[in-house]
């Protein structure tokens, strides 16, 4: 048992090496308690105006107070009145204001000419993009991210699906959260968690399934650490493949062999059935059982099975058999089975990339949901299976607005005729405008873009906004680097700094970021959040949403028929309070009206189709976020929902039902408990490549480091990537801490310094490399194998070998 003697604030202070340097720095101040938390307006002391904002980084959705003076962000504080973070921020959050002010900020459009770039005007840039699209609209692709605001994502989705009539739009949540989506859909018939962050305050047991919230979601994890520090009895269990800072704060650590989490979940289900400790009443009233159909293996929704068939299927997963597969001792499997079998405690499961970046990601998501349903640990405060997101609006923009190749806004599908008709009606476009065939998912989109036209590559022009696929795609040699040899492929990149993606761009567009524009995000607990523009973007940098609308207008001028609705009006026509059309495609007039509000109000009716109701824009202006469904009350107020499908809180559950899964796959208000067998991974270590490679993040940096790498305190704390190794593996190879080694797979190689006994401790036979360092692209090594349903790649395991790096230099020469 590990004693926790730190409170929440102390935990956050100690959670990163960068924290030691934060207070000493100039610029953005880092001590939340030393900054005034005002209701807006101007501080009488120092002329700093404070307004509410949302952190630019992960999917937690922490609320920040942003201090502005002389058109510049000068201070950041945690918002004491915010339910999400209660005044606290992580080390990245306290420095978020500095991401705006890197010395190499992009400030003017740049067009490639030969091996260099020349500045061009915005009119020229918009014209180039529009003409590329107009020449071959079916060969155009759009790639965005969970960092798009809701308005930006809605505009891009509408341009593609309701305008161009092309479904080749996808986003980087395909790489991080799409297995969570398919897991929710397969289980409940609708996406996104039923619970919320309140579960962390009520659970008796918190289980981490392959994630490291102490570093990746530290503000959330601190809620539970704080409870233990106050003397509450909370059992923390880390189920992982390597020891992390989360492990250090847990009483139980269950180390499993990579990919074997399915066996663990099936083992728990077996014990619940065998011991008769499953919640019979809940299951009989609210659940059906499901399995894959061997005659239709591509059907994600499978076929029915009886309880008896389910019991027989999981029977082979005895604790001893699970130990053989996973390496987790049989007694620990029994411990998990006993905990889920208890009715006197409440259990919350958390997961993130470990379960999602998995070639069996849909399956393991379904199994963890199934354990909670089978045991009845569902739908009460503290009883919840909850997927956390890595980006600030992976939920609110990509999953809810539907900026994936198979989705429409509000959780609808392009392949469903009724859904297409609903969307065409709401968008007021002719029937048939939305094409019925899903577009290319992320891996396929870039594979087609990097394949010559004569070899079947059917994407010629690709526009990337708000993400860095040149660093974050798997198997970069195949999916990105080949572009440099293809002269007939045109890459457009909208970004704020030079990145691994801009180095191969043909046209670079400077974007406004964060509080340089109006915006709304949707976080991991279904909370929709709002902020207003507070400072001006530098130079000629402009909003991504404006860029999309300006290109749409130029396409209209070129005669593209899809840029008009059924009434002949421009697809993004916007009028002011007096009914006059505002030319929002002209930058000088873009902020004459609130385009963000106009797009959000157009989007809101979509949210009501599947009970994801959103309140009017003006309600979010006054609030610190609201969790949907948000339903109007008789007195005109708006009420959020904390717990979906539970009668005590969800207004859509029929009275007397207790629980109702009103979008169930089986159309009978029941959730599905799945059986999905363990299967081995697509690539495993062998004599030639004897190590497992795992990749991920560190607390100081976010994703590819484009923003955090421009914050001096964070960059100094962890300036470059490294490889973690077990001491015995290093000893056998004659390697010492700090030595340069080569990590090599069948796809590529990279040279890195070794870190032994650092913050993470992999077991023997495994190495770990973070992916934030653009000078050390570990994704030149990773595998592009992906889940058959979510199409999400597996970044967490592939086979590599490790050797001492050549003495000539520290780079493998593959960039």
């Amino acid at each position: 048992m590990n004693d926790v003697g730190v409170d929440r604030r102390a935990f956050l202070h100690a959670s990163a090496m960068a924290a030691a340097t934060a207070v000493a720095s100039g610029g953005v101040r880092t001590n939340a308690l030393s900054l005034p938390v005002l209701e807006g307006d101007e501080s009488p002391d120092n002329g700093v105006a404070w307004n509410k904002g949302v952190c630019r980084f992960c999917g937690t959705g922490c609320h920040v107070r942003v201090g502005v003076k002389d058109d510049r962000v000068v201070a950041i504080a945690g918002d004491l009145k915010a339910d999400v973070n209660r005044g606290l921020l992580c080390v990245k959050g306290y420095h978020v204001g500095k991401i705006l002010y890197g010395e190499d900020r992009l400030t003017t459009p740049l067009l490639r000419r030969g091996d260099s770039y020349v500045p061009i005007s915005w009119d020229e840039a918009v014209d180039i993009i529009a003409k590329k699209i107009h020449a071959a609209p079916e060969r155009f692709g759009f790639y965005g991210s969970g960092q798009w605001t809701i308005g930006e994502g809605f505009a891009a989705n509408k341009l593609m699906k309701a305008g161009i009539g092309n479904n080749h739009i996808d986003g980087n949540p395909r790489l991080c959260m799409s297995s969570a989506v398919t897991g929710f859909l397969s289980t409940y018939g609708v996406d996104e968690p039923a619970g919320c962050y309140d579960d962390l305050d009520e659970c008796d047991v918190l289980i981490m399934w392959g994630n490291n919230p102490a570093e990746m979601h530290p503000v959330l994890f601190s809620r539970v650490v704080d409870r233990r520090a106050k003397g509450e009895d909370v059992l923390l269990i880390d189920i992982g493949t390597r020891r992390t800072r989360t492990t250090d704060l847990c009483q139980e650590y269950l180390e499993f062999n990579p990919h074997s989490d399915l066996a663990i979940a099936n083992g728990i289900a077996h014990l619940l059935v065998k011991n008769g400790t499953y919640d019979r009443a809940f299951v009989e009233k609210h659940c059906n059982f499901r399995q894959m159909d061997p005659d239709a293996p591509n059907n994600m929704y499978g076929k029915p099975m009886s309880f008896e068939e389910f019991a027989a299927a999981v029977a082979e997963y005895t604790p001893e058999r699970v130990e053989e597969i996973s390496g987790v001792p049989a007694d620990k499997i029994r411990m998990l089975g006993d905990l889920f079998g208890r009715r006197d405690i409440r259990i919350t499961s958390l997961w993130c990339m470990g379960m999602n970046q998995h070639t069996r990601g849909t399956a393991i998501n379904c199994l963890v949901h199934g354990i909670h349903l089978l045991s009845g640990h569902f739908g009460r405060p503290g009883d919840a299976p909850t997927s956390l997101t890595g980006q600030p609006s992976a939920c609110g923009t990509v999953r809810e607005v539907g900026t994936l190749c198979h989705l429409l806004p509000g959780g609808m599908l392009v392949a469903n005729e009724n859904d297409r008709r609903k969307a065409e009606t709401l968008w007021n476009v002719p029937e048939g405008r939305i094409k019925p065939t899903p577009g290319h998912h992320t891996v396929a989109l870039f594979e087609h873009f990097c394949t010559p036209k004569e070899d079947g590559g059917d994407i010629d022009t690709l526009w990337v906004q708000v993400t860095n696929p040149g660093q974050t795609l798997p198997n970069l040699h195949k999916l990105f680097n080949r572009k440099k040899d293809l002269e007939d492929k045109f890459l457009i990149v909208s970004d704020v700094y030079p990145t691994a993606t801009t180095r191969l761009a043909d046209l670079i567009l400077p974007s406004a970021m964060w509080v340089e524009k109006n915006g709304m995000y949707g976080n991991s607990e279904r909370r929709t959040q709002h902020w207003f523009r507070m400072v001006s973007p530098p130079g000629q940098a402009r909003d991504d949403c404006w860029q999309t609308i300006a290109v749409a207008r130029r396409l209209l001028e070129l005669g593209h028929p899809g840029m008009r609705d059924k009434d002949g009006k421009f697809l993004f026509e916007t009028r002011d309070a007096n009914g006059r059309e505002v030319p929002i495609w002209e930058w000088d007039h873009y902020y004459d009206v609130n385009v963000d509000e106009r797009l959000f109000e157009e989007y809101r009716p979509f949210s009501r189709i599947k009970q994801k109701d959103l309140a009017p824009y003006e309600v979010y202006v006054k609030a610190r976020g609201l969790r949907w469904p948000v339903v109007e009350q008789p007195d005109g107020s708006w009420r959020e929902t904390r717990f979906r499908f539970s009668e005590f809180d969800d207004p859509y559950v029929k009275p007397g039902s207790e629980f109702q899964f009103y979008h169930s796959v089986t159309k009978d208000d029941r959730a599905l408990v799945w059986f999905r067998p363990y299967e081995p991974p697509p690539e495993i270590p062998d004599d030639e490549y004897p190590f497992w490679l795992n990749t991920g993040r560190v607390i100081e940096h976010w994703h590819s480091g484009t923003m955090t790498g421009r914050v001096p305190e964070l960059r100094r704390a962890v300036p470059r990537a490294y490889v973690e190794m077990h001491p015995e593996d290093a000893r056998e190879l004659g390697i010492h801490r700090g030595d340069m080694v080569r990590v090599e797979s069948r796809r590529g190689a990279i040279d890195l310094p070794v870190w032994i006994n650092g913050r993470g401790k992999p077991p023997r036979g495994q190495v770990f490399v973070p992916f934030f360092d653009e000078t050390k692209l570990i994704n030149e090594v990773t595998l592009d194998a992906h889940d058959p349903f979510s199409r999400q790649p597996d970044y967490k395991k592939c086979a590599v070998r490790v050797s001492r790096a050549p003495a000539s230099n520290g780079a493998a020469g593959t960039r």
Side-chain angles (χ1 to χ4, degrees):
M1 301 283 286
N2 295 334
D3 292 328
V4 176
V6 294
D7 64 12
R8 191 177 181 209
R9 195 172 298 278
F11 162 75
L12 285 170
H13 179 75
S15 63
M17 292 189 295
T21 66
V23 176
S25 68
V28 178
R29 297 170 65 184
T30 60
N31 186 340
L33 297 181
S34 72
L35 297 175
V37 179
L38 307 177
E39 284 301 311
D41 302 324
E42 187 173 280
S43 164
D45 299 359
N46 53 21
V48 176
W50 290 86
N51 285 287
K52 74 178 178 79
V54 182
C55 183
R56 179 59 180 78
F57 296 118
C58 79
T60 299
C62 291
H63 289 253
V64 297
R65 302 292 287 171
V66 182
V68 174
K69 185 176 182 179
D70 298 329
D71 200 29
R72 186 178 176 91
V73 173
V74 297
I76 295 292
D79 191 335
L80 291 168
K81 295 185 177 182
D83 290 338
V84 171
N85 53 310
R86 303 167 183 174
L88 297 178
L89 297 170
C90 76
V91 68
K92 292 187 296 295
Y94 284 126
H95 289 86
V96 67
K98 288 191 174 182
I99 66 175
L100 302 173
Y101 303 118
E103 293 179 356
D104 56 344
R105 187 74 189 267
L106 296 171
T107 59
T108 189
L110 299 170
L111 179 66
R112 180 185 292 275
R113 286 189 181 158
D115 294 329
S116 61
Y117 290 94
V118 296
I120 61 172
S121 70
W122 269 108
D123 285 346
E124 290 176 285
V126 168
D127 188 61
I128 288 169
I129 299 170
K131 286 179 177 176
K132 288 282 185 182
I133 297 171
H134 193 56
E138 75 285 358
R139 303 182 70 86
F140 171 65
F142 210 152
Y143 187 66
S145 82
Q147 300 160 66
W148 259 338
T149 66
I150 289 173
E152 289 167 348
F154 186 76
N157 212 18
K158 184 177 183 182
L159 169 68
M160 293 295 286
K161 291 166 184 167
I164 296 172
N166 171 345
N167 295 327
H168 294 316
I169 178 173
D170 218 56
N172 66 6
R174 178 74 68 184
L175 307 178
C176 59
M177 296 313 304
S178 56
S179 292
V181 175
T182 49
F184 282 113
L185 292 173
S186 299
T187 302
Y188 311 106
V190 68
D191 185 25
E192 297 202 45
C196 62
Y197 298 163
D198 297 23
D199 291 309
L200 299 173
D201 304 325
E202 302 291 338
C203 63
D204 301 295
V205 180
L206 179 64
I207 303 176
M208 276 62 65
W209 291 82
N211 57 320
N212 177 18
E215 290 200 76
M216 304 307 110
H217 297 88
V219 171
L220 293 181
F221 193 58
S222 72
R223 290 167 80 145
V224 186
V225 172
D226 199 34
R227 290 177 60 200
R228 290 190 63 203
K230 292 175 181 176
E232 292 187 43
D233 186 11
V234 187
L235 175 60
L236 306 183
I237 302 173
D238 180 16
I239 305 176
T241 59
R242 87 188 224 277
R243 288 182 173 271
T244 66
R245 289 185 169 181
T246 298
T247 314
D248 295 340
L249 292 161
C250 292
Q251 296 100 314
E252 296 283 352
Y253 173 55
L254 281 56
E255 189 170 277
F256 68 94
N257 297 326
H259 207 76
S260 65
D261 41 6
L262 281 83
I264 296 170
N266 281 327
I268 298 169
H270 161 68
L271 289 171
L272 289 170
V273 173
K274 178 178 179 291
N275 297 336
T277 52
Y278 71 96
D279 191 332
R280 183 184 298 270
F282 182 91
V283 169
E284 290 181 350
K285 187 175 181 181
H286 301 297
C287 300
N288 291 317
F289 291 87
R290 208 75 169 177
Q291 62 186 325
M292 294 305 294
D293 185 349
D295 295 327
N298 296 324
N299 178 10
M300 185 177 77
Y301 297 105
K303 68 175 185 177
M305 70 189 308
S306 67
F307 173 77
E308 291 73 22
E309 289 173 321
F310 176 83
V314 297
E316 71 169 285
Y317 294 94
T318 64
E320 290 71 24
R321 176 59 178 146
V322 174
E323 181 176 355
E324 290 177 10
I325 297 170
S326 70
V328 176
D331 285 348
K332 296 300 184 181
I333 303 300
R334 292 189 182 94
M335 175 195 72
L336 292 172
D338 290 344
L339 287 170
F340 274 99
R342 290 175 58 179
R343 304 275 80 77
D344 62 325
I345 59 174
R346 297 195 174 183
I347 302 175
T348 290
S349 290
L350 294 181
W351 66 91
C352 199
M353 300 308 138
M355 275 175 45
N356 294 331
Q357 291 177 338
H358 196 314
T359 55
R360 299 273 285 151
T362 301
I364 184 59
N365 271 264
C366 288
L367 291 183
V368 174
H369 287 299
I371 294 166
H372 277 265
L373 294 166
L374 190 63
S375 63
H377 284 288
F378 183 92
R380 302 174 184 87
D383 271 334
T386 298
S387 163
L388 297 176
T389 51
Q391 296 185 85
S393 203
C395 289
T397 300
V398 177
R399 293 161 73 170
E400 293 161 27
V401 172
T403 58
L404 294 175
C405 64
H406 65 292
L407 290 178
L408 291 167
M412 297 191 294
L413 302 172
V414 299
N416 183 296
E417 183 176 0
N418 289 332
D419 287 354
R420 294 196 305 277
R421 297 295 92 85
K422 289 176 186 175
E424 287 164 347
T425 298
L426 288 171
W427 272 329
N428 193 37
V429 297
E431 185 173 310
R433 175 73 61 81
I434 300 172
K435 298 299 183 287
T437 303
H440 293 317
H441 59 84
T442 294
V443 172
L445 183 68
F446 280 89
E447 188 168 9
H448 277 271
F449 182 63
C450 290
T451 298
K453 187 183 302 185
E454 59 270 22
D455 294 333
D458 63 9
I459 300 296
D460 295 341
T461 301
L462 183 61
W463 191 356
V464 174
Q465 286 189 349
V466 208
T467 187
N468 185 13
Q471 186 167 340
T472 58
L473 286 168
N475 196 357
L476 283 167
H477 291 299
K478 174 183 177 183
L479 297 180
F480 187 76
N481 296 346
R482 292 194 306 185
K483 189 272 172 192
K484 65 179 179 292
D485 299 320
L486 300 176
E487 294 184 1
D488 60 343
K489 303 287 182 164
F490 195 84
L491 178 62
I492 307 151
V493 179
S494 299
D495 215 321
V496 294
Y497 291 110
T499 66
T501 306
T502 62
R503 67 188 172 90
L504 293 187
D506 299 285
L507 178 61
I508 300 171
L509 305 178
S511 292
M513 71 183 302
W514 194 41
V515 295
E516 295 169 349
K517 59 188 178 184
N518 293 336
M520 300 182 80
Y521 282 155
N523 78 349
S524 293
E525 62 167 350
R526 296 174 281 108
R527 184 184 295 271
T528 308
Q529 304 157 295
H530 164 274
W531 74 91
F532 281 125
R533 181 173 65 157
M534 303 178 203
V535 296
S536 304
Q540 296 183 56
R542 297 181 182 180
D543 298 22
D544 294 289
C545 190
W546 173 83
Q547 297 174 31
T548 299
I549 292 170
V551 168
R553 184 67 185 192
R554 185 68 184 112
L555 281 168
L556 176 73
E557 294 166 355
L558 293 172
H560 192 293
M563 295 304 110
R564 296 187 186 275
D565 65 14
K566 285 197 301 187
D567 301 323
K569 297 176 181 177
F570 176 44
L571 212 56
F572 295 99
E573 180 184 274
T574 300
R575 296 185 177 274
D576 64 17
N578 297 315
R580 292 188 294 264
E581 184 173 11
V582 180
I584 60 172
W585 57 90
E586 297 176 6
W587 178 245
D588 289 344
H589 294 286
Y590 184 70
Y591 275 94
D592 288 357
V593 293
N594 188 338
V595 176
D596 215 41
E597 179 177 12
R598 172 252 185 271
L599 292 170
F600 185 78
E601 291 300 332
E602 182 180 349
Y603 163 56
R604 274 186 65 219
F606 286 93
S607 74
R608 294 194 288 269
I609 292 170
K610 292 195 174 181
Q611 287 72 45
K612 301 183 179 186
D613 307 43
L614 298 170
Y617 181 88
E618 62 184 17
V619 175
Y620 295 99
V621 171
K622 301 173 184 176
R624 286 170 167 82
L626 294 169
R627 292 167 284 198
W628 57 257
V630 187
V631 179
E632 189 172 16
Q633 303 302 292
D635 65 358
S637 64
W638 293 83
R639 179 188 180 276
E640 66 172 4
T641 301
R642 296 183 303 153
F643 300 96
R644 296 172 80 195
F645 312 131
S646 298
E647 182 184 354
F648 75 90
D649 198 47
D650 188 337
Y652 284 107
V653 174
K654 295 175 184 176
S657 299
E658 190 179 9
F659 301 98
Q660 182 190 0
F661 301 101
Y662 40 75
H663 284 293
S664 66
V665 173
T666 45
K667 309 302 181 187
D668 57 1
D669 295 335
R670 292 169 176 259
L672 298 182
V673 177
W674 279 85
F675 171 69
R676 301 294 294 273
Y678 164 77
E679 294 176 4
E683 182 175 273
I684 60 175
D686 55 22
D687 291 342
E688 188 177 4
Y689 298 93
F691 288 91
W692 287 108
L693 168 66
N694 181 10
T695 68
R697 283 170 41 199
V698 295
I699 190 172
E700 294 85 357
H701 290 289
W702 192 74
H703 285 202
S704 62
T706 303
M707 295 179 289
T708 52
R710 269 76 182 182
V711 176
E713 297 82 3
L714 301 179
R715 187 174 63 250
R716 285 196 300 266
V718 184
R720 61 180 181 177
Y722 52 85
V723 55
E724 295 175 355
M725 289 191 73
H726 190 279
E728 290 301 309
D729 289 330
R731 183 183 61 79
E732 289 184 0
L733 292 171
I735 292 168
H736 302 90
R737 182 175 176 136
D739 287 352
M740 293 297 294
V741 299
R742 175 159 293 180
V743 179
E744 185 174 8
S745 73
R746 292 174 173 85
R747 291 155 294 280
I750 185 171
D751 293 356
L752 296 158
V754 171
W755 195 4
I756 300 168
N757 289 327
R759 66 176 64 179
K761 298 176 178 63
R764 292 212 64 179
Q766 185 185 132
V767 296
F768 171 85
V769 178
F771 71 91
F772 70 87
D773 188 347
E774 69 177 358
T775 71
K776 302 289 184 181
L777 297 180
I778 189 58
N779 282 325
E780 294 186 344
V781 178
T782 52
L783 178 76
D784 62 334
H786 52 268
D787 180 275
F789 302 109
S790 69
R791 307 298 196 268
Q792 182 165 348
D794 193 333
Y795 291 87
K796 296 301 181 184
K797 46 193 170 293
C798 70
V800 299
R801 58 189 174 210
V802 179
S803 59
R804 188 174 292 277
S808 57
N809 59 60
T814 55
R815 272 201 66 197

